[in-house]
Amino acid sequence: MARVILVMAAFSMLFLFLFHFRREVFFSNQRLLAILLVFALQLLFIYFLDRWEFSVYLYPVAFLSIMLTILFDTEVGMLSTVVLALILGIMHRFDFTLTFMTVVVGSVAVFSSRQVRRRAHFFRIMIYTAFASAVFILFVENLRLAPSSEVLTQMAYGLANGFACVILAIGILPVFESMFGITTDITLLELSDLNHPLLKRLALEAPGTYHHSIIVG
């Protein structure tokens, strides 16, 4: 019961923030469902990895941070990362390592995802997230006085974790964009492609309007 109350309190922080500062999200059932579905996917990934007894450093904790930052904005992504860190800490018997890793790696993922205007920018997110994971693991495992070979193995897990988070986001993001009607910067750039069939038709049938639209755009 105590865990249920703590999880509800963590989600309440997120919903209070949305109510006061992001009313267009709070009063949109589609957008709220998108946020909850990202949380569900994130927790599902971690559940299976935990069940198969993988290292905690392989948990793709930055997936949620990347998805919600791109779909909404930096503030929503950052607060959601903190909420996820609290939930994971509660679910894993207040494991501070997992909580701190979620906050640190998730924060780096949020700030590197602030401006994603083309798919190539995901490589920047991948590098920053993987580097943050590896540095965090190096710091924590050295504090634990772990053997050097074990530290290197865990750092490799962190690098793989950073790559996996971005790959998951690249694959799942278009589904959320189309399913929930959320327009991101990437969607707008794809719509501005001059090879779009509608723009080609406009250029042929109404060249004046086409030229004016391009200049205004």
Side-chain angles (χ1 to χ4, degrees):
M1 181 62 70
R3 289 186 180 184
V4 171
I5 293 172
L6 288 172
V7 170
M8 290 178 63
F11 273 111
S12 296
M13 288 195 315
L14 178 60
F15 285 119
L16 282 172
F17 170 81
L18 295 176
F19 177 77
H20 286 288
F21 301 105
R22 296 292 184 276
R23 288 179 176 265
E24 71 281 0
V25 176
F26 184 82
F27 290 106
S28 171
N29 292 331
Q30 280 191 329
R31 292 172 182 264
L32 284 179
L33 181 60
I35 292 174
L36 293 176
L37 189 56
V38 173
F39 266 99
L41 281 174
Q42 174 73 87
L43 295 174
L44 188 65
F45 293 149
I46 292 175
Y47 169 77
F48 282 117
L49 290 173
D50 189 39
R51 189 170 183 178
W52 294 332
E53 297 182 353
F54 282 97
S55 169
V56 294
Y57 295 131
L58 283 172
Y59 292 177
V61 293
F63 167 75
L64 176 137
S65 307
I66 297 169
M67 288 286 293
L68 293 184
T69 302
I70 295 175
L71 289 173
F72 298 100
D73 55 44
T74 305
E75 289 77 11
V76 173
M78 192 68 230
L79 186 58
S80 298
T81 299
V82 173
V83 171
L84 176 66
L86 294 174
I87 292 172
L88 293 180
I90 294 166
M91 290 173 59
H92 289 80
R93 299 181 179 181
F94 299 93
D95 185 350
F96 289 105
T97 301
L98 185 56
T99 301
F100 289 150
M101 182 178 75
T102 305
V103 172
V104 172
V105 178
S107 298
V108 172
V110 166
F111 287 109
S112 61
S113 306
R114 287 182 299 174
Q115 294 181 346
V116 179
R117 300 192 177 276
R118 54 180 61 92
R119 302 289 178 187
H121 288 170
F122 280 105
F123 290 106
R124 178 190 63 196
I125 304 171
M126 187 181 292
I127 292 171
Y128 287 168
T129 305
F131 180 75
S133 299
V135 171
F136 176 84
I137 293 168
L138 176 65
F139 180 73
V140 170
E141 292 301 317
N142 277 319
L143 286 177
R144 291 177 173 175
L145 303 178
S148 299
S149 58
E150 183 178 337
V151 173
L152 291 175
T153 302
Q154 301 289 5
M155 288 178 67
Y157 289 160
L159 292 173
N161 181 5
F163 295 146
C165 290
V166 178
I167 292 170
L168 287 171
I170 291 173
I172 298 175
L173 184 63
V175 178
F176 275 78
E177 290 176 341
S178 59
M179 184 184 299
F180 297 103
I182 299 174
T183 304
T184 64
D185 289 341
I186 299 172
T187 309
L188 291 175
L189 286 170
E190 289 175 349
L191 290 174
S192 67
D193 183 8
L194 298 182
N195 291 318
H196 193 283
L198 186 60
L199 288 177
K200 285 184 175 180
R201 182 183 170 192
L202 185 67
L204 290 173
E205 298 183 16
T209 304
Y210 171 81
H211 179 72
H212 175 72
S213 301
I214 295 298
I215 296 300
V216 171

